[in-house]
Amino acid sequence: DLTGMVALVLGGSRGIGAAIAAAFARAGATTWFTHTGHPQYADRLAQTLDALRAESCQVEAVVADACQGEATSALVEQIVRQHGRLDVLVANVGQNQVRSAETTTTQAWQQFIDVNLSSAFYGVRAVLPTMLDVHNGRILLIGSSAVYDGGGGAIDYAAAKAGLVGMMRYLARNYARHGIRTNVIHGSLKLAGVTL
């Protein structure tokens, strides 16, 4: 029962993120999630929102670029202004592409590290002041089985997801004493039986 809590899911319009956002909303949390605003997913997004709101869920979808730290900070400030709190952050933004290490360009490396790792940092940085104020908060970083098996995609994806583990350990070491719990959730869609 998450009634009264406020959650933000970065990257929550489809796949794992959509399932997390829906689960939080159905458990009673006021749930905000970000998405890219891509027209390809507009109908599915509208159907998801309509279905959740028909169940009396409190859910808001916001177009935001999670790779823009200022935009993430502004969104967190908006949520806190509107609700007076932010209890949970889920950093789920991710992108993978099958390619070899030797064909990975510098531009691709930087882009995918930003999407898969920096976006999580921007979210964490934005929520920490609010969570520190109340000595309470939950941060969930969505990792990947690529950390263990190298993944089926790109070297930057595997490296970024491994970076989330270091981020989690740093946050646990430095912020658990302030009531802020951080975890990384690794998984495989194949192992979890999820069909997208």
Side-chain angles (χ1 to χ4, degrees):
D1 183 3
L2 302 180
T3 301
M5 297 181 72
V6 179
L8 170 60
V9 180
L10 299 176
S13 64
R14 56 195 174 98
I16 293 171
I20 292 170
F24 277 35
R26 288 183 173 125
T30 297
T31 305
W32 291 61
F33 67 85
T34 66
H35 63 102
T36 62
H38 196 293
Q40 177 181 353
Y41 307 113
D43 289 344
R44 184 192 307 176
L45 177 63
Q47 291 171 3
T48 298
L49 288 171
D50 288 346
L52 289 171
R53 288 172 178 158
E55 297 176 37
S56 300
C57 295
Q58 301 297 313
V59 62
E60 297 290 339
V62 179
V63 176
D65 183 350
C67 292
Q68 297 295 320
E70 295 79 8
T72 300
S73 293
L75 175 58
V76 168
E77 289 170 6
Q78 177 186 351
I79 293 170
V80 173
R81 273 196 314 271
Q82 189 163 331
H83 301 289
R85 62 190 296 165
L86 181 51
D87 304 283
V88 181
L89 170 71
V90 180
N92 177 64
V93 174
Q95 186 178 5
N96 198 3
Q97 183 180 75
V98 178
R99 53 185 149 74
S100 64
E102 68 272 19
T103 62
T104 298
T105 65
T106 299
Q107 180 181 5
W109 169 270
Q110 292 172 339
Q111 174 190 343
F112 279 74
I113 290 292
D114 207 27
V115 169
N116 293 298
L117 181 60
S118 298
S119 64
F121 164 69
Y122 299 141
V124 167
R125 182 180 64 184
V127 303
L128 279 176
T130 296
M131 292 181 175
L132 284 168
D133 281 346
V134 296
H135 296 278
N136 190 44
R138 303 294 180 264
I139 297 172
L140 303 175
L141 309 173
I142 304 304
S144 169
S145 59
V147 170
Y148 302 108
D149 62 18
I155 188 172
D156 40 57
Y157 179 82
K161 292 300 186 178
L164 292 177
V165 176
M167 187 182 297
M168 176 272 295
R169 289 178 176 155
Y170 172 89
L171 292 168
R173 180 183 180 93
N174 291 281
Y175 293 93
R177 67 178 73 109
H178 300 289
I180 301 169
R181 298 180 188 170
T182 306
N183 287 283
V184 175
I185 301 173
H186 296 299
S188 165
L189 292 179
K190 183 177 180 182
L191 291 175
V194 175
T195 303
L196 303 180

